[in-house]
Amino acid sequence: MDLQDQLKNLFPDYEPAPEETPEEVAHELYVQKEPMICKFEKRKGKATTIIEGYEGTDEDFKILAKEIKTKLSVGGTFKDDSIIIQGDYRDKIMEILKVKGFKVKRVGG
């Protein structure tokens, strides 16, 4: 006996309210006119890829950072309006951003 049957037994006049499902709206990132900069640096002897130049909100940029990190299975952070990825992944990151509709410019090496 499930909950609906038990409610019918206790309250014969009870009619369940129709279930409302909230409509899920896909979150879309702001696509800008100016290209984002994808550059390579060495910090403390380690290779890092830095992505800068996003004009949208910080929350969108954080979502983008998380998505890149999970797709590449690498570590990284969002700091000072830039995404810092551990390792030299410029080509892969540029490909991911181009698929999303961003313009990307490669800087350094």
Side-chain angles (χ1 to χ4, degrees):
M1 200 179 228
D2 67 343
L3 182 63
Q4 297 296 331
D5 293 334
Q6 290 177 3
L7 286 172
K8 280 270 190 211
N9 288 341
L10 292 172
F11 306 103
D13 298 333
Y14 174 76
E15 290 184 22
E19 292 183 23
E20 294 181 18
T21 55
E23 295 180 25
E24 291 188 23
V25 177
H27 186 76
E28 293 192 18
L29 295 173
Y30 170 76
V31 179
Q32 58 201 32
K33 295 179 175 107
E34 295 295 318
M36 294 174 65
I37 297 171
C38 187
K39 62 183 177 179
F40 171 77
E41 279 187 15
K42 281 201 169 208
R43 293 188 175 184
K44 298 182 183 176
K46 309 272 182 162
T48 57
T49 305
I50 300 170
I51 305 162
E52 297 175 330
Y54 185 70
E55 297 171 357
T57 64
D58 282 350
E59 291 301 316
D60 288 347
F61 206 33
K62 286 179 184 178
I63 292 169
L64 184 63
K66 185 171 184 172
E67 200 170 305
I68 289 170
K69 290 190 301 184
T70 53
K71 282 188 179 181
L72 296 176
S73 300
V74 296
T77 186
F78 172 80
K79 190 189 295 185
D80 300 328
D81 295 330
S82 62
I83 301 171
I84 302 168
I85 303 291
Q86 297 173 355
D88 186 9
Y89 292 100
R90 284 177 291 182
D91 296 330
K92 292 179 183 176
I93 291 171
M94 288 173 65
E95 198 61 40
I96 291 169
L97 292 174
K98 284 180 184 175
V99 167
K100 290 196 161 293
F102 291 101
K103 295 176 188 168
V104 186
K105 185 185 248 185
R106 183 180 173 136
V107 177

